[in-house]
Amino acid sequence: MKKLLLALPIMLLVAAGCSPVEETKNTINYVNEATEYANEAAAFAEDLPAKAQEAVTNPETVEQLESTLTDFEKQISEFNQVEVPQVMEDLHGQISEQNEKIQTQIEEYTKAIEDGTFQADFLQNSELLNSLQDIQNIYENIQKLGNE
């Protein structure tokens, strides 16, 4: 019994020491996931205007545009499922807000494509590209926290 009582404080110290290590590991994993997502969002933002313009002028490319929109919507869902360390919760919440806006816009574009009313100026008059830029700005803040 005495040995157990002597060992208890040591076990508590060891257990407490694991928590910061685990949090650091989760933070590194999150920064890596955020980096990948930010790169995907940047590529999506860069490619989307040209694909939208091409889909308007060439009906054969409409399926490519729909596929691009659907693929990015999946990427959003996957990123929203990532385990978020406590230190990144606020920034992840900001990204999630932008993701909701993007998903709403993607749904509108997909509906317009299906209805045959999609036009290239939809992108110019929407929040989609602004939200994608906001994600890049938030990602820069994540990088700063990840490097501290």
Side-chain angles (χ1 to χ4, degrees):
M1 183 71 162
K2 287 183 183 180
K3 288 182 183 179
L4 182 59
L5 289 175
L6 290 173
L8 187 58
I10 293 171
M11 291 185 332
L12 289 173
L13 285 173
V14 170
C18 291
S19 181
V21 171
E22 189 66 30
E23 185 71 15
T24 300
K25 182 179 171 184
N26 290 342
T27 300
I28 291 169
N29 289 338
Y30 181 81
V31 169
N32 290 338
E33 291 286 340
T35 299
E36 184 178 328
Y37 180 68
N39 289 337
E40 291 167 351
F44 177 73
E46 187 175 317
D47 294 343
L48 188 61
K51 285 186 179 185
Q53 184 63 44
E54 189 174 344
V56 169
T57 59
N58 182 357
E60 295 174 4
T61 61
V62 170
E63 282 185 27
Q64 289 178 335
L65 177 60
E66 279 185 293
S67 178
T68 298
L69 293 169
T70 302
D71 289 347
F72 192 69
E73 206 167 20
K74 288 177 187 172
Q75 292 170 344
I76 289 171
S77 295
E78 289 173 10
F79 184 73
N80 286 342
Q81 303 291 323
V82 170
E83 184 178 340
V84 183
Q86 187 174 9
V87 70
M88 298 291 182
E89 285 177 350
D90 182 50
L91 292 171
H92 186 80
Q94 292 175 35
I95 290 176
S96 293
E97 284 180 35
Q98 297 307 318
N99 283 344
E100 287 177 25
K101 291 177 185 177
I102 292 167
Q103 284 178 311
T104 300
Q105 293 293 308
I106 288 174
E107 290 168 9
E108 288 179 20
Y109 296 155
T110 303
K111 185 175 180 343
I113 290 169
E114 291 169 359
D115 295 345
T117 60
F118 183 80
Q119 297 186 9
D121 66 346
F122 276 20
L123 285 175
Q124 295 166 346
N125 299 327
S126 76
E127 291 184 33
L128 180 65
L129 296 177
N130 291 336
S131 292
L132 289 164
Q133 182 58 49
D134 288 344
I135 286 175
Q136 294 301 314
N137 295 337
I138 296 165
Y139 169 69
E140 290 172 9
N141 290 332
I142 288 172
Q143 278 186 310
K144 289 175 188 172
L145 282 176
N147 291 329
E148 290 181 356

